[in-house]
Every structure is written in C-alpha cells, then in structure tokens.
C-alpha cells in the first residue's frame, strides 16, 4: 500500500470518526436549530391573529389590585366581564391547582364562573418522572382529569433552552389531554381536540410536538392589563368573538422562557403564538 493511499484512508477514517462524534454530541441538531432560528430573522415579523388578545397580570395591575396571588374570585369576575363583552374563549395560563383553604368561598366563585360561563379553560400541570414521562397531573380546582375545561401548560425547551416546539396532545391514563392552547382552540371551534388536529392538518412529531411559527418578539399580540378589565377601562365590544389568554408578565411571577427572538419571553405569549 503506497503512502498516498495510507494518508487518504487515515483522513477518511478521521473525518468519519469526527462526524460520528459530532452526531453523538448533537452537533447536527444544534446546527439545524441555528439555521431554523436564522430563518425567522430572515423572514422578519408577521402580523398576529387579531382574534387573539392577552390579558396581562402585570406590575401595574398588581400595584392596583394588591399583592399576588389574588383571591380566586377576582378571576371569576374577569370571566364574567369578558363574557358580557362577547369573548368566545378565556384561556388561563395561571395555575389554580391548590385549594385556598383560607378563602374557600373565593374558590367556589371561580369554579362557578368556569362551569356556568362555559367559555373558560384552566391550566393543569404534568409532573415529570424518570425517563421524561408524566407521572401525575395537577388538576385545577373543581375540575376532573377528563374535564373539557382544562389543558396542560407544560412547555419543554430544546437542549439549548430555546422553546421551538410545543406539545399539543399527550396520552395519560387512557385519556388524550390537550395543551392549554389546543384546549382553548377546541372550545373556540366547538370540536374535540384530537379531531381538531386532524381537521386542521396539524403535523406533530413522534413526541406529539409541533414547531412554533412565532409571529415575532415580545408584545406582537395586543396586551390589555388585568386591572383595566376589572375596572371597566376598555372599549365595549373589544373582546367580542375573541380568544383571550390570561397570564403573568410581571417580573416577580417568573413565567418567562427563551425564544428565537428573546432570551426572556412571557410564557403566555408562547401559548398565543
């Protein structure tokens, strides 16, 4: 075997070994993610759906309505005010998974508003066990696992911490549990979450996740302060036929994730996207 052939074989083996190591270390996935992120920057911002509005639990509302967490009944008031103004769906990116033993009447007020208004869906939360599989589900107060008024809020970032995908549907205890956003959409369209995915042609991967088509950075969607709704400081008909998402944007609530556009992005706006 001549020297040139030996060198060629050595280089080829070295390149193959390097590629194998890169694949094992997730290098190709990282490059794919970087390219995916860059394509959003090339595309630029896109106008969001005007049928989606975010009601923000912001610093101004906390200052006006008092220290967080607020009594649950105030969220019941919010539901009725939005329903009166014609909102189609109210989606709570807020966890009400523990009873307020110091104020059970307030809990009942919220539960009654959810069950009677029939326009609100609440967030539940999967506790994840070994192997990344859900081991239990924290159900919102007054609801059962098979309730049509709940959806899970879990968002699982990629290895680099960026949220590029969301799980839309998962099977748990022989039930299909929708994500919070899918639960809201199923109420909006009046269709079963599982059927809705097929009707709309949504493509999911093996983990039941779909890639997010972000419209842009922070506050691409319209924001209205929670306190402004409670105090009636909004134009009548503003929420008519709208999907309204309720979530925290105040810094102290710590509900932020990383996206293509920002390392600090409100979780509620991920659900909106």
């Amino acid at each position: 075997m001549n020297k040139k052939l030996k060198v060629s074989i050595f280089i080829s083996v070295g390149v193959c070994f390097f590629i194998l190591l890169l694949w094992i270390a997730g290098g190709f996935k990282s490059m794919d993610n970087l390219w995916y992120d860059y394509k959003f920057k090339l595309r630029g911002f896109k106008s969001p759906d005007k049928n989606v509005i975010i009601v923000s639990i912001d610093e101004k509302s906390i200052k006006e309505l008092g220290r967080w967490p607020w009594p649950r009944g105030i969220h019941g008031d919010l539901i009725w005010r939005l329903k009166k103004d014609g909102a189609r769906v109210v989606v709570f990116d807020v966890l009400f998974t523990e009873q307020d033993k110091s104020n059970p009447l307030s809990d009942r007020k919220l539960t009654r508003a959810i069950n009677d208004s029939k326009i609100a869906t609440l967030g539940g939360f999967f506790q994840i066990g070994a192997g990344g599989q859900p081991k239990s589900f924290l159900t919102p107060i007054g609801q059962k696992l098979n309730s049509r008024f709940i959806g899970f809020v879990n968002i699982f970032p990629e290895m680099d911490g960026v949220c590029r995908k969301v799980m839309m549907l998962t099977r748990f205890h022989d039930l299909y549990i929708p994500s919070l956003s899918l639960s809201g959409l199923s109420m909006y369209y009046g269709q079963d979450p599982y059927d809705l995915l097929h009707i709309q042609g949504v493509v999911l991967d093996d983990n039941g996740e779909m890639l997010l088509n972000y419209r842009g950075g922070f506050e691409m969607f319209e924001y209205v302060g929670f306190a402004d709704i409670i105090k009636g400081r909004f134009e009548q008909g503003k929420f008519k036929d709208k999907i309204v998402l309720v979530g925290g944007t105040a810094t102290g609530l710590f509900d932020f994730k990383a996206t293509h556009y920002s390392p600090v992005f409100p979780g509620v706006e991920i659900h909106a996207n």
Side-chain angles (χ1 to χ4, degrees):
M1 187 180 294
N2 61 47
K3 187 176 180 180
K4 286 186 177 180
L5 183 58
K6 287 182 179 179
V7 172
S8 297
I9 293 173
F10 179 77
I11 292 173
S12 298
V13 171
V15 169
C16 290
F17 184 67
F18 175 75
I19 291 174
L20 180 62
L21 285 178
L22 194 63
W23 178 74
I24 293 173
F28 291 116
K29 180 63 175 174
S30 297
M31 287 187 286
D32 185 56
N33 285 341
L34 288 173
W35 171 238
Y36 183 73
D37 295 347
Y38 185 63
K39 285 192 290 185
F40 275 96
K41 294 178 181 178
L42 288 175
R43 186 202 69 182
F45 291 177
K46 295 191 72 174
S47 297
D49 192 324
K50 299 300 183 183
N51 288 320
V52 178
I53 298 179
I54 294 173
V55 170
S56 174
I57 303 171
D58 53 10
E59 278 88 353
K60 178 175 174 289
S61 294
I62 291 175
K63 184 176 180 180
E64 190 167 349
L65 299 177
R67 182 179 179 180
W68 181 264
W70 299 322
R72 303 276 175 73
I74 199 169
H75 299 282
D77 291 338
L78 182 83
I79 292 171
W80 287 119
R81 286 181 178 273
L82 290 171
K83 183 178 176 66
K84 183 179 179 181
D85 198 57
R88 288 267 295 276
V89 182
V90 182
V91 181
F92 279 91
D93 184 24
V94 183
L95 291 177
F96 303 116
T97 54
E98 296 178 353
Q99 293 182 349
D100 185 353
K101 295 182 178 179
S102 65
N103 195 350
L105 289 176
S106 192
D107 274 1
R108 286 199 288 272
K109 186 176 180 180
L110 172 58
T111 301
R112 198 160 50 241
I114 295 161
N115 295 335
D116 292 350
S117 73
K118 295 180 172 53
I119 67 166
T121 183
L122 298 183
F125 189 81
F126 280 113
Q127 293 182 307
I128 308 301
Q133 298 300 312
K135 65 176 183 179
S136 62
F137 185 74
L138 300 180
T139 309
I141 57 169
Q143 305 300 321
K144 296 181 179 179
L145 189 59
N146 62 350
S147 170
R148 69 185 187 93
F149 300 130
I150 64 172
F152 62 84
V153 300
N154 302 67
I155 296 175
F156 303 99
E158 302 286 289
M159 292 295 290
D160 60 0
V162 176
C163 295
R164 297 182 181 88
K165 298 179 178 181
V166 287
M167 184 180 291
M168 298 299 291
L169 195 70
T170 190
R171 193 170 177 81
F172 184 70
H173 288 182
D174 296 325
L175 293 170
Y176 281 108
I177 310 297
S179 68
L180 183 65
S181 54
L182 180 58
S183 174
L185 277 177
S186 70
M187 293 182 71
Y188 183 78
Y189 285 110
Q191 294 174 333
D192 177 82
Y194 185 84
D195 294 336
L196 181 60
L197 289 176
H198 289 277
I199 292 169
Q200 297 293 331
V202 177
V203 178
L204 304 180
D205 63 17
D206 293 339
N207 295 319
E209 295 179 314
M210 62 171 276
L211 287 166
L212 274 165
N213 183 14
Y214 285 99
R215 316 316 286 172
F218 176 44
E219 289 190 341
M220 286 296 293
F221 291 84
E222 183 178 2
Y223 275 69
V224 180
F226 193 110
D228 290 333
I229 310 299
I230 295 299
K231 301 292 184 179
R233 298 192 295 255
F234 62 91
E235 181 183 353
Q236 285 192 353
K238 183 179 187 62
F239 297 98
K240 183 173 174 57
D241 295 328
K242 298 293 192 292
I243 300 175
V244 183
L245 291 99
V246 183
T249 60
T251 304
L253 300 183
F254 304 108
D255 186 17
F256 297 94
K257 309 287 184 185
T259 70
H260 319 291
Y261 293 105
S262 172
V264 181
F265 196 86
V268 66
E269 195 160 357
I270 294 178
H271 292 298
N273 275 280

